[in-house]
Amino acid sequence: ECGRAIRFGARRCARTGASLLMLGIVDPPDNFEFLGVGDALRAEAEEEAAALLEKGAAAAIEAAAGLEPERVIRVGDKAEAI
């Protein structure tokens, strides 16, 4: 369903002249601050989120030629990040 929503949103943005922002939110690692393990886990989660956003952006570009979605990755609570 996510792919369908991205394609729908991309086509709508193309028709209305709006921009598309794709947000990826990463949960912060819990209790892994020993020797930088938390930083490594966080970086890995951010890379995974970036890969998912790239896949979604490719679908958006395919659905609406010329549309380049903005990609944003945030770390923290989902409700607060939105």
Side-chain angles (χ1 to χ4, degrees):
E1 285 186 30
C2 184
R4 287 182 185 166
I6 290 171
R7 285 187 291 278
F8 174 80
R11 287 192 307 264
R12 184 173 183 129
C13 287
R15 278 194 315 263
T16 62
S19 60
L20 180 64
L21 184 132
M22 300 179 70
L23 175 64
I25 302 172
V26 177
D27 290 323
D30 295 327
N31 302 322
F32 286 104
E33 296 304 320
F34 182 70
L35 295 177
V37 173
D39 293 336
L41 289 174
R42 182 178 176 172
E44 183 179 314
E46 287 179 5
E47 288 175 11
E48 289 177 18
L52 286 173
L53 288 178
E54 284 301 317
K55 183 178 177 182
I61 292 168
E62 179 182 325
L67 178 69
E68 184 61 36
E70 181 182 351
R71 299 157 191 89
V72 176
I73 298 175
R74 294 187 181 156
V75 178
D77 181 59
K78 288 177 176 67
E80 290 177 13
I82 293 174

